[in-house]
Structure formats: structure tokens, C-alpha cells
Amino acid sequence: MTFRRQLIASAALAAATFALPLAAQAQTVLKAADVHPAGYPTVVATENLGKKLEAATKGKFKMQMYPGSVLGDEKTMIEQTQIGAINILRTSLGPVGAVVPDVNVFNMPFVFRNEAHMRAVIDGPIGQEILDKVTNGPTRMVALAWMDGGSRHLYTKKPVKTPADLKGVKVRMMGNPLFVDTMNAMGGNGISMGYGEVFSALQTGVIDGAENNPPSLFTSNHYTTGTKYYAQTNHLIIPEMLVMSKVTWDKLSKDEQALVKKFGREAQFEQRALWDKSVADYTAKLKAAGVQFTEVDQKLFFDATAPVRAKYGAPYADLMKRIADVK
């Protein structure tokens, strides 16, 4: 009888152990990160991806969003993504371009005629080719989708309509020699500076202006520093990228990978709709706050930056021609 009881007990234990994953599967929490604040279009679109993945996998995966640089600056978060400490990341192209050079072509001034042209490029074969190069390169990240970073324009303390108006004007640029050279070619004095330093630099007169899209101009409060002139130059139209850690990706089944790719592509278009609404909303807020939007002759700035495209675009001449040919 003792042996029989032991046998029944062992069988019951085995059955319970086997049934446990069915009754209460362990949930995998995916950490997603972004430098942008909560509510920003890229953050919302990424959160929606997580909700879809949780529903489709019946709760196997749940996403936890960390917006507003709470996990570090972009360079730090990319390093965390490469080792799997962050699972999903929205990143700008600068750090990625250091590893996959073709990405740098999108950083070129006036490589896109307008936002519609940029979207046609990233939605088509060229966009997919570059995503694939990131995935298959040494980045240790899987490129899921593109996200819209909008058009960058100049905001300054005096009106700017032509390159001549920028003479002697100190303008903050992102920390990349290409961007500094772009501003210098446009007629200004490009100053490389961290984004967090811009507000005080504008207040104290260390710089006379900066450049960014309308949502960023408003949410950063830079418009309160006297930079009430917003020249719509469209000099940079740089898409951003949504990536997954290769460490995380390799742990997914083929079906799960397919779901992530599908929802990533959907996030690309969801973010775009959110972005367009955001630009319209923040443009209205800026105008209500007294910011003066100025149309400029973009050809003047396009012609002025030709040497920059010649210098930095030489390795990507064929790719730039393909981009130019996209209707």
C-alpha cells in the first residue's frame, strides 16, 4: 500500500508540474524605452505595439514603457539594447549610422524634397533595404520599423528668410560634424551642444537659436527664450527607427517574431497619424504664443548646402540618386 501511495503521489506531482504552464504561464515583461516623454507619438505607438503583442500571445508578453530618458541617454540605451537589458527601443539614426553607414544618407541636408517624399522612401524598397542592413549588420539589434521625426526648421531671435540673414547667428546643432557643417553652409555659425543645455544657452545668449520640429520647440519651452521667429527651412527631415534587441529576438519563436514585425509595421503608420496631429496641435499652440512662422525660399538653402552633400554624400551617391528618383 505504501508503494502504491507513493506511485499515486508521484503521478499527481508530475501531472501538476506539467499542467502548471497551462494554468499560469510565466509572463515575460519587455522593457521598451524612448528619450521622448510620455504621450509623445513614438511612445504611444510603441505602447500600442505592446498591447497588441500581449493580446495576441494571451498575456505571454507584456510591455513596460520607460519614456523620457529614464533609462539614460540614447547612447546608453542603445548599449543596453545590444545586451538585452532593454528589449525595444526608439532611436534616432545618428548612433546607428556609426555602425551601418548607409543610414547616414538620411542625415544629409535636403536629401528629401519634403515629408511626403521621405515617407515614400521609407515605406518602399529603399526603407526596407536599410532596415535589413541594420538587422543583418553588427548592430546586435533587429530593425522593426521607421518612425517620423518630422521636418526640422530654424528658430531664432531675429527673422531669417535667406542664408544672408544667418550671418553671425549662433545656432545649436546636434552633435555631428555633418549637422554643424550644414548650418555653417546655410550661413550661420553651427554650435554642437547637448539638447539639455539648449534652454539655458538660449536664455543667456550663448546661442541665438536652434532647430527642431514644432512639437519639440513647444515641449522644450525654447520658444519662451525670445526665439519667436520660426523659419520653415525643412533643411533636415530625418526619420527615426524602432528596434528590438537581437538577444530578445533570438529567444522568440518564428510565429512570435512574425507578430513583432507585423505590429512594428503597424506602429510605423499609427505613429505617423499621431505625429501629423501633434504637429498641427503644437503649431497652433506656438502661433497662439506669438511665434511667427516664416516661409522661406528653400532653393536658396538647398543650393548653399550643395558642398555638404558633395562631401558627406560621396559614398552614397548611387543611393542618393535612387532616393531622388522616388516620386
Side-chain angles (χ1 to χ4, degrees):
M1 285 295 293
T2 302
F3 175 77
R4 188 167 179 272
R5 287 196 190 98
Q6 289 177 337
L7 188 63
I8 292 172
S10 297
L13 179 62
T17 302
F18 180 79
L20 184 61
L22 298 177
Q25 287 190 18
Q27 188 176 65
T28 299
V29 177
L30 300 175
K31 292 172 68 174
D34 200 321
V35 298
H36 294 312
Y40 201 84
T42 55
V43 173
V44 175
T46 304
E47 287 173 332
N48 288 342
L49 183 160
K51 292 173 184 175
K52 291 178 182 179
L53 187 62
E54 182 177 0
T57 60
K58 295 181 170 56
K60 179 178 178 181
F61 296 100
K62 181 180 179 63
M63 183 182 292
Q64 178 64 52
M65 191 77 209
Y66 294 87
S69 299
V70 294
L71 297 183
D73 60 17
E74 210 158 57
K75 180 177 181 294
T76 301
M77 289 195 292
I78 282 180
E79 291 169 353
Q80 291 182 67
T81 303
Q82 289 173 323
I83 63 172
I86 291 175
N87 309 111
I88 295 176
L89 176 69
R90 193 287 318 159
T91 178
S92 61
L93 296 187
V96 181
V99 185
V100 182
D102 278 5
V103 166
N104 291 319
V105 75
F106 289 166
N107 290 326
M108 222 69 66
F110 298 103
V111 71
F112 300 114
R113 294 185 293 275
N114 48 44
E115 280 196 53
H117 179 216
M118 181 272 288
R119 290 172 174 181
V121 171
I122 63 173
D123 291 349
I126 294 174
Q128 188 58 52
E129 285 172 24
I130 294 181
L131 289 178
D132 291 343
K133 284 186 177 181
V134 171
T135 298
N136 298 325
T139 63
R140 288 175 284 162
M141 298 185 296
V142 175
L144 302 176
W146 293 103
M147 292 204 163
D148 201 321
S151 296
R152 299 179 78 94
H153 311 290
L154 283 170
Y155 48 97
T156 52
K157 296 179 181 180
K158 71 170 192 176
V160 171
K161 290 189 176 181
T162 69
D165 295 330
L166 278 170
K167 185 175 181 181
V169 178
K170 300 185 294 293
V171 180
R172 180 266 175 178
M173 301 297 288
M174 293 180 285
N176 182 324
L178 165 61
F179 300 138
V180 174
D181 285 355
T182 293
M183 180 48 56
N184 293 341
M186 288 171 63
N189 181 9
I191 305 293
S192 176
M193 180 181 292
Y195 191 61
E197 303 171 48
V198 177
F199 186 86
S200 61
L202 287 168
Q203 279 188 319
T204 57
V206 172
I207 55 175
D208 307 304
E211 46 84 66
N212 219 316
N213 52 58
S216 295
L217 173 56
F218 188 88
T219 57
S220 65
N221 285 318
H222 290 174
Y223 71 97
T224 65
T225 63
T227 52
K228 64 176 183 177
Y229 298 100
Y230 198 48
Q232 297 187 273
T233 50
N234 285 292
H235 54 281
L236 295 172
I237 305 176
I238 308 174
E240 301 172 341
M241 196 173 281
L242 186 67
V243 299
M244 174 174 266
S245 170
K246 186 73 162 51
V247 174
T248 307
W249 179 262
D250 287 343
K251 293 177 181 177
L252 302 180
S253 69
K254 293 295 182 185
D255 287 345
E256 290 163 352
Q257 290 175 351
L259 281 175
V260 170
K261 278 196 170 183
K262 176 179 183 291
F263 297 146
R265 182 69 171 179
E266 290 175 4
Q268 177 167 322
F269 294 98
E270 287 178 15
Q271 187 269 343
R272 182 172 301 171
L274 292 167
W275 178 258
D276 288 344
K277 184 179 185 305
S278 177
V279 169
D281 290 346
Y282 284 116
T283 295
K285 289 178 180 179
L286 288 167
K287 288 181 176 179
V291 175
Q292 298 180 32
F293 283 64
T294 307
E295 296 288 342
V296 303
D297 183 348
Q298 290 184 18
K299 188 175 187 306
L300 294 175
F301 294 94
F302 175 85
D303 291 344
T305 53
V308 178
R309 287 187 296 280
K311 175 182 177 180
Y312 291 94
Y316 321 112
D318 290 343
L319 181 55
M320 289 177 70
K321 183 181 185 307
R322 288 178 61 204
I323 290 171
D325 289 342
V326 173
K327 304 300 182 187

